[in-house]
Amino acid sequence: TRPTSSRLFAVTSRSITEDELRDSFSVFGDVQGVWVVKDKQTKESKGIAYVKFAKSSQACLAMEEMHGKVLMDGTKPIKVFIAQSRSSNRHRDVEDEELTRIFVMIPKTFTEEDLKDTFKEYGEIEYCVIIKNKSTGESKGLGYVRYHKPSQAAHAIENCDKTYRAILAEPRTKTTVTEEYSGGMSRGEYMGGNDSMNQYAFPMAEPVNYQGMDYRSGDFTRCLMISTRAALSQEQIFSLFDLIPGMEYCELQRDNYGMSKGHALVRYNNLGSAVYAKEKLNGFEYPPGNRLAVNFVDDGEDRSSPVSRMAMQLVAAQMMSAVWNGPATNQVMKPHQGYSAVSNMSRVQTDVNLPPLKKLAPPDSKSKERLFVVFSPSPLPLDVLEDVFCRFGSLIEVHLVPGRKVGYMKYADKQCADEAMAVLHGRVVNGVKMKVMLADPPREESHKRPRTT
DNA sequence: CGACGGGACGC
DNA sequence: CGACGGGACGC
């Protein structure tokens, strides 16, 4: 599944024309071509059409929105799928299952919560997992992120930082019991659920592992949201989450038609049960083949006061720092350092006077010079770096190398870059010392055959 | 010291 | 049920 296709395959009424298709599909993006397949002799439509978009995310969005729509009064609803590649002989519909999971390369220091935080900006994440060494438990630097919709996965692939090398994940090639539950279900069909769950045992014995949990704001509430791709009944959700003591509330979220939206809310009367439930049931397959996503949601307790928010940000900063520095230097941030950062209301503290902020150069500007920056003891956040390095003008882009303490600053003007280097080399920003040097030219893309699309 | 690569899952 | 025309960069 290398290229995520930007071409749609549509089954329409034979009376639908290319112009009608173009009109209705072009609201979702740049339609590069519409082709209705016609009988060679009679020139009549065979009720099949291809719609090519500039981007895969546009095609996915159009598919999600147009599938099942009636284009013209009196005609049948259309079916819309991502088209199989031209070379493919298989004419099986491409299922959402194959379009909603991405495969990424991540720093080995990433926890599953870090992975989720990084990729949630492209859509609600149903489930994510990091590939780990099964005996030592250490990360292999690879992860999977499952979204709810193909357009979200496509969006992530198109827009996430290139260093993550995000691609569509190959579907799991294992089909045992899984198939009878998810295999027969296609988009838009309701899957009834009256299975009893007692046949699916899951371990309750081991203690909860708190390593890798997210200590940042919004986590650790008594309230959980459950997302599921297959429709589940209230009773199913109830009996599953009631296995953990302390459940005080359980409700399936329904739409106006009374159909399950694939979401449920569960609340426990204590934090421990909620943490345990998330730990044990997030990613659990129920029924087999249907992964549940379980996440903390705001339980209504006030976390929004400025003092509370700042306190949480401070804790978050300490956690980040601890993660980067490792257990050896896991000391708590000095109180006065933290307080002064908060009271200044500024995100940048430095030992040098900085010029005022300047606008960034357009993203498509040609790079005239790149700076290579080494951070000690840990890298600064992207927004802080942009704030600092833009002040010399013509900054195009800040790039951090994930999992490394280095980054690249791309400038559209050589003099601006040189001045930034002269001013910032050896300086300390927010407690982080920076070496700022000219970057070596990027490694050549090597002479491989250029890929189309 | 501090460099951009690489790639597959016991659900 | 419902799967592939037309046209031709430059290596």
Side-chain angles (χ1 to χ4, degrees):
Chain A
T1 317
R2 315 270 188 43
T4 140
S5 174
S6 56
R7 196 174 61 130
L8 294 180
F9 168 65
V11 183
T12 74
S13 176
R14 295 179 193 272
S15 60
I16 299 298
T17 66
E18 288 179 353
D19 284 346
E20 284 161 350
L21 286 166
R22 183 183 299 276
D23 283 351
S24 44
F25 280 79
S26 57
V27 308
F28 302 102
D30 313 316
V31 172
Q32 295 179 328
V34 178
W35 168 41
V36 166
V37 179
K38 302 189 181 83
D39 183 283
K40 285 258 187 1
Q41 271 75 44
T42 69
K43 305 286 189 202
E44 279 177 23
S45 163
K46 291 163 83 170
I48 292 167
Y50 293 93
V51 180
K52 174 73 172 72
F53 281 88
K55 292 180 159 196
S56 163
S57 57
Q58 298 168 343
C60 290
L61 196 62
M63 169 178 75
E64 290 156 16
E65 297 298 318
M66 294 302 291
H67 185 74
K69 286 278 156 62
V70 172
L71 287 191
M72 220 179 17
D73 287 347
T75 66
K76 65 177 181 185
I78 63 172
K79 299 179 200 171
V80 186
F81 303 93
I82 292 291
Q84 291 282 11
S85 78
R86 254 172 201 287
S87 51
S88 169
N89 290 321
R90 304 183 55 84
H91 286 171
R92 202 197 73 238
D93 297 343
V94 177
E95 300 281 346
D96 286 6
E97 181 79 8
E98 304 164 56
L99 301 169
T100 48
R101 194 176 67 145
I102 64 171
F103 181 52
V104 294
M105 312 187 66
I106 49 178
K108 293 214 168 53
T109 55
F110 259 36
T111 64
E112 267 138 20
E113 294 295 333
D114 291 328
L115 182 59
K116 184 170 170 187
D117 280 352
T118 305
F119 285 91
K120 67 183 180 193
E121 69 172 288
Y122 309 106
E124 190 196 339
I125 290 168
E126 178 194 302
Y127 179 80
C128 68
V129 69
I130 287 171
I131 301 173
K132 304 186 185 100
N133 181 311
K134 280 173 282 282
S135 45
T136 70
E138 70 183 326
S139 166
K140 291 188 177 168
L142 298 169
Y144 293 100
V145 178
R146 170 82 70 182
Y147 290 95
H148 290 278
K149 299 189 204 163
S151 61
Q152 297 168 331
H155 206 209
I157 290 170
E158 288 165 12
N159 298 320
C160 77
D161 192 293
K162 297 284 173 274
T163 56
Y164 293 117
R165 308 270 144 177
I167 59 173
L168 269 187
E170 288 298 342
R172 272 185 34 247
T173 53
K174 232 186 196 168
T175 46
T176 48
V177 229
T178 312
E179 202 157 30
E180 69 185 83
Y181 288 98
S182 60
M185 191 176 58
S186 62
R187 183 175 32 205
E189 287 176 23
Y190 175 75
M191 179 180 166
N194 25 17
D195 315 282
S196 91
M197 82 132 295
N198 49 22
Q199 50 188 309
Y200 312 116
F202 72 96
M204 294 286 286
E206 328 93 75
V208 174
N209 171 24
Y210 288 88
Q211 298 287 22
M213 292 299 292
D214 194 343
Y215 296 86
R216 275 156 277 189
S217 61
D219 255 345
F220 292 141
T221 67
R222 296 178 298 128
C223 208
L224 299 173
M225 187 179 64
I226 293 87
S227 304
T228 158
R229 287 165 69 76
L232 294 178
S233 69
Q234 168 107 17
E235 291 69 32
Q236 289 176 305
I237 297 281
F238 184 96
S239 52
L240 187 57
F241 285 80
D242 192 40
L243 291 173
I244 292 147
M247 189 174 75
E248 62 176 26
Y249 178 79
C250 172
E251 190 192 8
L252 205 57
Q253 311 276 290
R254 291 176 185 282
D255 63 21
N256 294 333
Y257 307 101
M259 301 286 279
S260 166
K261 281 193 298 191
H263 291 98
L265 278 176
V266 168
R267 190 174 64 237
Y268 289 93
N269 61 15
N270 70 89
L271 206 53
S273 289
V275 170
Y276 191 89
K278 181 188 165 169
E279 183 73 17
K280 284 300 170 198
L281 294 175
N282 186 29
F284 182 64
E285 288 201 26
Y286 177 68
N290 179 62
R291 272 178 311 280
L292 300 179
V294 182
N295 291 292
F296 294 108
V297 293
D298 198 326
D299 54 4
E301 287 173 26
D302 184 22
R303 245 177 231 87
S304 63
S305 74
V307 170
S308 160
R309 290 188 67 84
M310 281 181 188
M312 282 192 297
Q313 282 164 12
L314 204 57
V315 171
Q318 288 172 12
M319 293 310 304
M320 284 307 286
S321 164
V323 166
W324 276 109
N325 294 331
T329 50
N330 190 1
Q331 83 286 4
V332 173
M333 193 187 289
K334 304 285 183 299
H336 104 253
Q337 207 177 345
Y339 291 140
S340 69
V342 168
S343 59
N344 282 345
M345 288 307 284
S346 162
R347 58 183 176 178
V348 176
Q349 291 184 116
T350 178
D351 56 346
V352 65
N353 283 324
L354 294 175
L357 291 165
K358 284 205 177 63
K359 285 171 78 166
L360 295 180
D364 57 346
S365 308
K366 194 167 176 204
S367 173
K368 288 289 177 54
E369 187 138 290
R370 252 175 9 137
L371 299 180
F372 175 60
V373 184
V374 183
F375 306 95
S376 177
S378 59
L380 287 160
L382 280 178
D383 58 338
V384 171
L385 290 171
E386 194 169 287
D387 182 307
V388 171
F389 282 85
C390 78
R391 295 168 185 253
F392 307 89
S394 91
L395 178 69
I396 303 168
E397 181 187 43
V398 175
H399 168 60
L400 284 177
V401 180
R404 297 266 125 93
K405 300 181 205 180
V406 303
Y408 295 91
M409 310 295 150
K410 201 195 282 183
Y411 285 90
D413 181 271
K414 193 170 168 357
Q415 286 192 2
C416 297
D418 292 345
E419 188 178 340
M421 177 167 63
V423 174
L424 295 174
H425 181 63
R427 314 306 324 198
V428 177
V429 170
N430 292 2
V432 175
K433 179 153 181 173
M434 301 186 299
K435 294 185 191 175
V436 184
M437 295 153 284
L438 291 183
D440 292 340
R443 227 180 78 117
E444 280 305 319
E445 265 297 319
S446 81
H447 304 277
K448 287 189 174 161
R449 60 197 144 88
R451 267 205 341 222
T452 42
T453 72

